[in-house]
Amino acid sequence: MTDTKIVLPESEIPRHWYNLAADLPFPLPPVLHPGTGQPIGPADLAPLFPMSLILQEVSTDRWIEIPEEVRDIYRLWRPSPLYRAHRWEKALDTPAKIYYKYEGVSPAGSHKPNTAVPQAYYNKQAGTRRLSTETGAGQWGSALAFACSLFDIELKVYMVKVSYQQKPYRRALMETWGAKVVPSPSPDTNAGRAILAATPDSPGSLGIAISEAVEDAATREDTKYSLGSVLNHVMLHQTIIGQETKRQMEIAGYYPDVIIGCVGGGSNFAGFAFPFVGDKVTQGNQTRIIAVEPLAAPSLTKGLYAYDFGDTAGMTPLVKMHTLGHSFIPAPIHAGGLRYHGMAPMVSALYDHDLIEAIAVPQTAVFNAAVRFARTEGILPAPESAHAIRGAEIEALRCKESGESKVIVFNLSGHGHFDLGAYDAYFAGKLQDYEYPEEEVRRAQADLPKV
Ligand SMILES: *Cc1c(COP(=O)(O)O)cnc(C)c1O
């Protein structure tokens, strides 16, 4: 088992981010102004983001240089390891070769610092003193809190209330890195106060928390907004994952037959898969690229491909994406994360053009796969990442049936050390499978903005 772990030297941390927009064989639909419905330009986004990030958002340059100061911070945990899952393969009794890229080695325990660090860096360059953001389970909030602490930027995090109550340790982690955290909906914004007036016991949602964080930034001179997924510049920053993986697979001596990632807003999947999508588009590879989402929030497989708001209050620009509707509130019984109503526009467009596939999986099968994985590979996966594990398991078992020894590579986006409550619920038999109802999707359709 000589190839159990493939590690690259620091000198092989990528020097550029890869921008898939340069290689797409179709144009991306324009982003529209929430008020006028007209395409927006860079100036429209200036209240929320520094211009350097806005220019990355709309760039069609293939390679964008990573600032040396950012690479220096990446050295703390990058290049991240790629593992061959020898023991899990054996347990699954599959002829498939399974590899996984592990992003749980970052200080915050997930892929999210890959974009939090450059976002904090560009904000610092632009003179931003304070950032606002939202967080669901707390992964993004902690990644940005870590990055802001390095650049001495103040951070306010609007944390989805149900998670704020259920995950006190993620909050403590954010506070350790110096962030101020409030449960959302909060009394601190108009958006939060309106929701509290209508639904005092609202559990909150990512859409609501985004409304609050955007309002905070839009109404304060010293504050910009930061988002941990969905936007093009976030996908861009994450492409270091896929670039490193490609190099590591060269060392392993295989090109992947199947690439798998979990999807919430789409960023770890994009970062992992886009360099391979680029190969597929430019060289005509037949690689299958599969996004795995929860059956409880199935934006790709059941959502509509339509213009929608990124938030609940309707303050963000309109983007064309796969969406369950911006009023989506996730079912409280769903423990597996990945609860956002929409999907990154680039990931949505790839799905629409059949360049990637998507499947939706129920949560008990996800936790079952996670436990089997932990018992053979050792790593305790985040519930989000466990969707990718379940996806890899399905493909590996398919290989067992057919006798094919395909090379399956998946992204293990983070560890689950803060998610043991969800594991506990699973072991106690408290997790039920929940399929998001078709009627709800149709109902949400009526709420979509008319453009
Ligand atoms: C946030 C998170 C996700 C989901 O977000 P994406 O933008 O879809 O990647 C997945 N895995 C982990 C570990 C996360 O923290």
Side-chain angles (χ1 to χ4, degrees), residues 13-17 64-68 70-71 74 122 240:
I13 295 171
R15 291 181 186 278
H16 297 84
W17 292 299
I64 294 175
E65 194 170 352
I66 303 175
E68 210 39 52
V70 171
R71 276 187 90 236
Y74 280 165
Y122 288 116
I240 48 180

Side-chain angles (χ1 to χ4, degrees), residues 31-54:
V31 174
L32 306 180
H33 191 279
T36 64
Q38 294 302 307
I40 60 167
D44 293 303
L45 293 171
L48 294 184
F49 304 104
M51 196 45 74
S52 41
L53 287 175
I54 296 171

